[in-house]
Amino acid sequence: MAGSEAPPNLKLLLIGNSSVGKSSLLMRFTDAQFLPEDESSATIGVDFRVCKMEIGGRRVKLSIWDTAGQERFRTITSSYYRGAQGIIVAYDISNRETFDALPRWFTELDTYVTPSVVKMLVGNKLDKEFSRAVSEDEGRKFAQRNGCLFLEASAKTNVGVREAFQELVEKILDTPELWAPAAPRITSTATAKPQQSMPGSIDLSANAQDNASSGCSC
Amino acid sequence: MAANDNSGDNSGWDRPDERLIADAYRLLFGSLTRERLRENAANGALMPQKFEFGAYGLAGRSLAWKALLMPAPPLTTELSQHPVPPLAEIRRRRDLYVDVLRDLMQAPDGNYEEGFILPGHSRPPTPALKTGTFEKNNPLSLDEQNPWKQWFENVDLRKTIRQDVQRTFPDLSYFREPEVQSDLTNILFLHAAKHPEIGYRQGMHEILAAIFLAVDYDSLDRWTSSVDDRDILEMCDRTWVAADAWSLFGLVMNSMNIWFEWREPTGAPKETENGLNPYVAPIVTTSNRIQNQYLSNVDPTLWRKMSELGIEPQLFLIRWLRLLFSREFGFRETMILWDGLFALDPSLELAQWICVAMLVRIRNQLLPSDYSEQLTYLLRYPAAEGGALHVSLLLQQAVRLSQEPNTSTGASIVLQNRNLLGIPIEVPEPPARPTPRRRGDRPQQQQTSIRTPTEKRESPQPGFPELIARNIIDKSESLGINRAIFNTVSEIRRNWTEIPSAFSRSYTASSTDLPSLSYSQNNPSPDLETPVWEGRGRSDIEMELAALRNQQKTLAHAMTWAVNALLKDSDRLGSQNREALDCLSYARDVLMTGNVMKLDQDRLVSHAAPPPPPKEAQVGTQIPPSNEAPTPSVMLSKRDYQPPVGLTRTPHVIKPEVSPLHTTPYHRPSASSFASSTPSQERPRSTASSAPPTASPRYITSPTSPTPRSSGLQWQHSPPSMMSATHRKGGDAQHAAIATPSTPSYGYPPKSLSSAGRSNTTSTDPLGALQ
């Protein structure tokens, strides 16, 4: 484990309107689980998960922050964004409002993160195709205009979730200036110097988690 | 209005039996004193066990909340010892609810949503066109004054609220009922509309939901109920579940609104780069205070670690505070916590200290962790084991912390967690990896795996005070007094590790419902034998030393009393007993002076051949079986004890149900007693320690109640503040217990019932505001 090259620690952030399924995407990805809409309670403040992933033979550790969607609730926005390398902006393809709110989210993004941070737009609830309110094309075009990746997904039916995270992480790995400065840590002691370990960065090298069923550990 | 009485179908929830609700009402507004109500709530037992029903229900909970949170009727507050049913206030608020609802649910064209009926009414309200000309008042008007503009905003607001209401407490089927969801939405909407500066925020819905459920549980159908007491029917009228829930929610939110407050930072967002917003939300200020001020004063080690890792307190405290811990504990435990919180401090300031106590409790998990592990623990608070005890202990620790926010209190809480919950003092070395948990699951595993070490530790050797006690017994003749001596000393020994029984339910007649309370009785004082401070940080050691010093002084004081008590009979004592007494006195002096480096062994052993220990004495030494409440019983000689009126047989089993609340301040030895002390790094067990404690535990004292609540227990010799006496439910004489000369255990001194010559002054009382 303590090889010469420690896996980079990446901080990802999930944002988007309330009830678009941010927590569900995360739970599907990390726990391979899905709870029906009325069975998952609203996120208050922030939730946080760590997992690891292997991409192209390369291990990365992810800490994923799942934020509360309610706009006026975002009391501590800057804490969330600090040190993030990748952002997933989610909307609900069956709810036009959540798509129409995207410009506001991107305004916030521009405020808090540097342009090199990788962004990914995810249209969730693909399982609700029958009540689709935002076409795939619209979504893709919006993503292109804002220079971000795009995917439609369903946390419920497990479509596109893993791909979304994988694409995002691949793109981050292709952008070394995002993570390279934090990378050259070798040991995994809990007493790493605070300056070196940026809040939000994670280190799971000491003890690998066995979670075969989960989407995020391979 | 709310949910129908559909206990028959599979809706998954039932209301308690009507008679139980009526009983709860009579208990709350008849037999219980206010003070006792608060005490019970703080002890995690708002109502006796028989009122529990289902997995998390408690009949009478909402009635108690009404009594605790609503302003008492005028002129009764000071005079009445008993809570007065706030019927007038409730009536007023119900009327208000109807008015507000009628106003806010009416569209600008005067119509109401189809099927909308006001509570207490049988027909829909009559539509009536509101003011305004057609130019202004029509949905398409662009006039700024157009009431439709506000209306459409409200429709949006209701939609936002409904979105959260629909997923409130997903585990509880009660909240899937459409009527319930509709009421919850209405109430949240009314609250948001009446508090535009705050509006609706996620989190409020869960606070309201829990209140609503409690009110609905205690509701009676006025038309079919067999209860014939009109006051009960009015108070519990099902028609008004929503109105009463709205009232209680409003009262709770009065204290919580500040945690939800947020406004758009003024100026363009670009100007506030790097998070240097000119406006800091109060919740962020509060969070910072909790971690960087409160926690750093109480547990600097933990605070330093968290700060080094860069944990921002608001990340987890926003949720802890805004939901009043409902995601951190199971529903039942959360309700128990709320009971106590509402009882102790309706301003909810105490919640901040609960956060501190919660952090201290999981310090063993936090300290060895790295950033992401810490955050995981903080956002998935390790599951509570021990249920009611777990949370009510937090409450009491919070009270102590709020009064004495220093490392000494912090250390004593760590000790207490060890003794009562089995959480080791030692911080585990290997970083325990939190396993990823499925969302919605209650964390379970980690804590048990981390917690094992101390339990394994055995304690074959008796501790120091007990050695003395054995000695005394060994050489004593079987005078009746032997047992008293022995028990006193074994009591002291027990107290050395804090009597867990000092914290106990003071209400229910049987303690079997809370087996965890007797827990550490089976595990006597491992800390006496093992120097636990090896290999640990200096500040940890200092914290512990301070706590031990405090305890030692307490013990010295207890010994003083014991010796004095025994000396009264000294003329009757045989020589061996004199020797024993001498030995005890010496031990007292050692403890008292605190700087004896070498013990005079001669003074601790007998010179006579020890006779076999009298059987009688052994009785008292037995550790009670696990499921019984601890019984450090001490018989006082008859002339010391005067039976209360109506008490025919001599009570002999003492269950020290000492409540942490409502105690008289512990009589501390004067500072000069310790003046000669010198700092020492000696093991505090045998010799002694040093400077006066950094802080002495100050105790909460009941704000009111000059009246003794006992059934007339009286002491002829009122021993100096060492007596503890307790009584059972409602001061029932049959259960009246004799006081044990128990040492005030750490933080929970025995409460004194004697009204004579005991001052009840000098107490800091954060609860005073209550009444």
Side-chain angles (χ1 to χ4, degrees):
Chain A
M1 206 64 223
S4 57
E5 194 186 347
N9 304 317
L10 303 181
K11 174 175 173 178
L12 310 182
L13 187 67
L14 277 157
I15 58 173
N17 269 20
S18 188
S19 275
V20 300
K22 296 179 294 298
S23 303
S24 299
L25 284 170
L26 180 55
M27 186 159 68
R28 169 60 78 187
F29 178 62
T30 57
D31 291 14
Q33 255 206 341
F34 178 76
L35 285 176
E37 219 167 312
D38 60 352
E39 283 181 30
S40 50
S41 29
T43 305
I44 307 297
V46 70
D47 200 359
F48 174 81
R49 281 185 187 246
V50 292
C51 69
K52 63 188 174 54
M53 198 179 188
E54 199 171 301
I55 290 190
R58 194 151 180 202
R59 298 176 80 83
V60 290
K61 299 155 198 164
L62 306 177
S63 66
I64 310 172
W65 294 52
D66 173 21
T67 65
Q70 198 189 47
E71 191 200 9
R72 295 185 60 201
F73 208 81
R74 304 177 61 76
T75 320
I76 47 170
T77 317
S78 58
S79 303
Y80 302 153
Y81 284 103
R82 199 169 300 142
Q85 286 105 339
I87 316 266
I88 290 180
V89 189
Y91 68 95
D92 173 0
I93 65 156
S94 67
N95 181 346
R96 184 82 208 173
E97 263 178 53
T98 64
F99 181 76
D100 292 339
L102 288 179
R104 286 212 308 276
W105 288 108
F106 277 86
T107 310
E108 187 176 288
L109 270 182
D110 291 343
T111 310
Y112 290 103
V113 300
T114 56
S116 60
V117 167
V118 182
K119 284 157 261 177
M120 149 94 54
L121 183 64
V122 173
N124 191 28
K125 306 199 187 176
L126 194 52
D127 51 283
K128 290 188 171 178
E129 182 69 61
F130 57 91
S131 55
R132 182 189 272 279
V134 184
S135 75
E136 187 175 356
D137 197 42
E138 272 184 283
R140 176 162 292 115
K141 278 183 177 151
F142 184 91
Q144 278 167 359
R145 276 202 307 279
N146 288 275
C148 63
L149 305 163
F150 174 71
L151 246 173
E152 284 192 337
S154 165
K156 187 173 182 178
T157 57
N158 196 12
V159 171
V161 179
R162 190 183 154 71
E163 290 77 3
F165 282 91
Q166 190 157 346
E167 259 191 58
L168 180 70
V169 172
E170 276 170 6
K171 181 83 182 288
I172 295 172
L173 291 177
D174 288 344
T175 321
E177 72 260 30
L178 277 176
W179 49 271
R185 264 186 300 144
I186 298 167
T187 57
S188 64
T189 51
T191 51
K193 281 176 191 153
Q195 286 78 12
Q196 267 184 320
S197 79
M198 191 180 299
S201 65
I202 57 158
D203 199 336
L204 293 177
S205 54
N207 195 358
Q209 302 167 6
D210 286 322
N211 197 348
S213 63
S214 143
C216 72
S217 86
C218 4
Chain B
M1 138 147 217
N4 299 320
D5 196 2
N6 44 7
S7 47
D9 69 16
N10 60 355
S11 61
W13 72 285
D14 292 314
R15 291 196 187 87
D17 188 272
E18 288 197 334
R19 280 163 300 179
L20 208 55
I21 298 172
D23 282 355
Y25 181 98
R26 291 190 194 103
L27 177 73
L28 285 165
F29 300 110
S31 34
L32 275 188
T33 59
R34 278 171 189 284
E35 181 191 341
R36 179 47 90 111
L37 171 62
R38 275 203 296 265
E39 196 177 309
N40 291 344
N43 279 326
L46 179 71
M47 305 288 288
Q49 203 191 1
K50 75 161 188 168
F51 292 96
E52 288 176 24
F53 66 95
Y56 42 76
L58 183 68
R61 170 167 277 141
S62 75
L63 305 179
W65 288 359
K66 283 172 182 171
L68 292 166
L69 295 172
M70 286 196 176
L75 301 179
T76 54
T77 318
E78 301 299 323
L79 301 176
S80 170
Q81 285 290 311
H82 297 279
V84 178
L87 280 170
E89 180 70 13
I90 282 174
R91 256 174 247 139
R92 189 183 72 78
R93 287 171 180 270
R94 286 172 180 174
D95 290 346
L96 190 62
Y97 179 72
V98 170
D99 289 346
V100 176
L101 200 60
R102 182 189 285 125
D103 180 40
L104 282 168
M105 297 300 283
Q106 189 184 32
D109 63 2
N111 285 313
Y112 290 89
E113 209 175 295
E114 206 176 317
F116 176 76
I117 294 179
L118 288 165
H121 294 62
S122 49
R123 277 179 293 175
T126 0
L129 188 61
K130 288 193 169 177
T131 53
T133 60
F134 185 74
E135 271 71 52
K136 281 186 182 173
N137 183 0
N138 87 72
L140 299 177
S141 164
L142 294 175
D143 194 299
E144 270 303 301
Q145 304 289 309
N146 183 3
W148 286 95
K149 187 166 167 273
Q150 183 63 47
W151 175 254
F152 288 132
E153 278 175 22
N154 286 348
V155 169
D156 278 349
L157 176 59
R158 292 175 62 82
K159 212 162 88 184
T160 307
I161 292 171
R162 183 161 276 277
Q163 206 169 44
D164 289 337
V165 163
Q166 281 168 347
R167 43 182 182 160
T168 300
F169 289 120
D171 303 339
L172 307 185
S173 61
Y174 173 80
F175 294 108
R176 307 282 79 76
E177 299 192 18
E179 297 91 340
V180 174
Q181 294 192 347
S182 158
D183 279 341
L184 292 178
T185 310
N186 283 348
I187 296 170
L188 288 166
F189 166 62
L190 296 195
H191 185 265
K194 287 288 161 195
H195 297 85
E197 74 286 359
I198 306 225
Y200 167 74
R201 299 293 159 77
Q202 283 179 323
M204 292 178 180
H205 65 300
E206 287 193 16
I207 301 288
L208 170 65
I211 293 174
F212 193 94
L213 179 64
V215 177
D216 199 0
Y217 269 151
D218 289 333
S219 69
L220 298 170
D221 187 332
R222 195 163 31 135
W223 310 110
T224 62
S225 173
S226 57
V227 177
D228 52 6
D229 185 317
R230 282 172 57 192
D231 283 356
I232 299 181
L233 280 177
E234 182 174 7
M235 173 81 107
C236 304
D237 193 341
R238 191 160 302 154
T239 312
W240 300 105
V241 167
D244 289 358
W246 173 74
S247 300
L248 286 176
F249 175 65
L251 290 163
V252 172
M253 287 308 295
N254 278 345
S255 309
M256 290 184 68
N257 274 332
I258 185 85
W259 295 334
F260 285 94
E261 187 192 309
W262 187 81
R263 53 183 169 80
E264 297 283 347
T266 46
K270 289 279 181 195
E271 293 167 15
T272 65
E273 232 167 304
N274 302 324
L276 296 172
N277 289 342
Y279 168 77
V280 179
I283 183 75
V284 176
T285 315
T286 304
S287 302
N288 272 317
R289 186 169 54 233
I290 291 172
Q291 182 169 315
N292 296 326
Q293 189 181 323
Y294 295 171
L295 180 67
S296 78
N297 286 338
V298 167
D299 190 344
T301 314
L302 180 57
W303 168 77
R304 206 172 302 121
K305 175 77 182 179
M306 290 174 75
S307 306
E308 276 173 11
L309 293 177
I311 296 280
E312 290 172 283
Q314 62 270 29
L315 289 179
F316 60 99
L317 287 176
I318 279 193
R319 187 170 81 199
W320 287 17
L321 288 173
R322 281 183 177 169
L323 295 179
L324 273 186
F325 313 109
S326 69
R327 299 255 175 107
E328 277 56 57
F329 303 109
F331 192 81
R332 178 171 176 269
E333 284 73 32
T334 305
M335 291 302 99
I336 291 171
L337 190 62
W338 287 17
D339 291 340
L341 194 53
F342 295 162
L344 291 171
D345 182 14
S347 78
L348 305 188
E349 302 253 321
L350 193 63
Q352 301 179 36
W353 292 101
I354 293 177
C355 296
V356 178
M358 284 168 69
L359 289 171
V360 172
R361 184 158 300 176
I362 59 165
R363 74 196 297 276
N364 286 1
Q365 279 103 319
L366 295 177
L367 281 172
S369 296
D370 62 19
Y371 178 85
S372 51
E373 287 167 342
Q374 274 205 359
L375 204 54
T376 304
Y377 279 123
L378 295 168
L379 288 170
R380 288 185 180 63
Y381 194 77
E385 289 163 33
L389 174 70
H390 186 99
V391 290
S392 53
L393 196 57
L394 279 177
L395 269 171
Q396 306 182 18
Q397 292 174 343
V399 171
R400 282 164 62 197
L401 286 169
S402 68
Q403 296 186 323
E404 297 275 343
N406 55 39
T407 49
S408 187
T409 316
S412 81
I413 282 170
V414 170
L415 281 173
Q416 193 177 42
N417 287 341
R418 195 273 314 277
N419 290 335
L420 294 181
L421 302 172
I423 299 173
I425 292 176
E426 304 92 331
V427 178
E429 272 306 315
R433 297 280 162 189
T435 46
R437 230 184 336 265
R438 291 166 199 267
R439 190 179 164 80
D441 279 2
R442 291 284 166 197
Q444 199 63 261
Q445 309 84 344
Q446 303 118 304
Q447 219 176 11
T448 35
S449 63
I450 290 169
R451 260 187 194 176
T452 34
T454 1
E455 272 125 70
K456 284 188 294 191
R457 214 186 301 142
E458 287 164 17
S459 54
Q461 292 178 317
F464 172 60
E466 193 164 79
L467 274 176
I468 306 169
R470 291 241 172 105
N471 230 328
I472 295 168
I473 296 302
D474 284 349
K475 45 189 179 165
S476 65
E477 301 144 10
S478 25
L479 276 170
I481 205 158
N482 285 341
R483 193 155 120 187
I485 300 174
F486 188 89
N487 283 321
T488 305
V489 179
S490 61
E491 175 83 348
I492 291 169
R493 181 184 175 280
R494 219 183 313 240
N495 279 332
W496 189 300
T497 57
E498 295 180 77
I499 303 189
S501 56
F503 168 71
S504 77
R505 297 182 78 150
S506 44
Y507 205 98
T508 38
S510 110
S511 63
T512 47
D513 52 316
L514 255 192
S516 50
L517 285 177
S518 47
Y519 166 83
S520 59
Q521 294 297 304
N522 302 324
N523 241 358
S525 61
D527 63 327
L528 291 180
E529 287 75 46
T530 318
V532 291
W533 42 80
E534 274 165 19
R536 286 168 40 250
R538 183 185 167 85
S539 108
D540 281 345
I541 294 170
E542 281 169 357
M543 277 166 76
E544 239 164 82
L545 264 180
L548 286 170
R549 280 170 198 150
N550 265 343
Q551 284 185 332
Q552 192 181 17
K553 278 162 191 168
T554 308
L555 292 178
H557 206 63
M559 295 275 260
T560 309
W561 170 77
V563 170
N564 289 343
L566 296 176
L567 276 173
K568 286 186 193 119
D569 282 330
S570 59
D571 48 337
R572 288 193 304 153
L573 291 180
S575 65
Q576 283 184 323
N577 275 57
R578 279 177 190 284
E579 211 174 359
L581 203 50
D582 191 43
C583 165
L584 203 55
S585 313
Y586 176 63
R588 174 202 58 194
D589 296 340
V590 169
L591 286 171
M592 191 65 97
T593 47
N595 63 351
V596 178
M597 305 301 276
K598 190 167 183 302
L599 289 178
D600 184 352
Q601 293 294 335
D602 277 355
R603 295 189 63 182
L604 286 173
V605 292
S606 162
H607 303 289
K615 273 182 191 168
E616 186 190 9
Q618 283 177 332
V619 175
T621 72
Q622 283 170 357
I623 293 163
S626 60
N627 258 353
E628 278 173 30
T631 59
S633 51
V634 174
M635 286 282 291
L636 295 173
S637 64
K638 272 195 179 146
R639 68 190 189 108
D640 280 346
Y641 172 68
Q642 192 161 70
V645 185
L647 187 62
T648 46
R649 69 195 167 93
T650 313
H652 38 269
V653 177
I654 290 99
K655 295 192 174 183
E657 291 183 313
V658 180
S659 162
L661 308 169
H662 312 294
T663 54
T664 44
Y666 165 47
H667 228 62
R668 301 200 65 81
S670 69
S672 61
S673 334
F674 307 113
S676 61
S677 305
T678 50
S680 154
Q681 288 290 341
E682 267 302 313
R683 289 172 301 164
R685 140 155 71 123
S686 55
T687 64
S689 48
S690 60
T694 44
S696 56
R698 215 183 304 141
Y699 303 117
I700 316 160
T701 309
S702 149
T704 53
S705 131
T707 333
R709 281 166 292 125
S710 77
S711 49
L713 278 177
Q714 303 243 331
W715 298 97
Q716 279 190 340
H717 301 283
S718 187
S721 77
M722 284 299 148
M723 288 300 187
S724 99
T726 55
H727 62 158
R728 313 292 297 191
K729 170 179 176 178
D732 189 344
Q734 277 188 348
H735 297 289
I738 312 181
T740 71
S742 80
T743 310
S745 64
Y746 211 87
Y748 302 140
K751 68 179 151 198
S752 159
L753 283 179
S754 163
S755 52
R758 216 74 56 77
S759 77
N760 206 4
T761 54
T762 67
S763 66
T764 39
D765 178 16
L767 321 174
L770 241 176
Q771 294 238 345

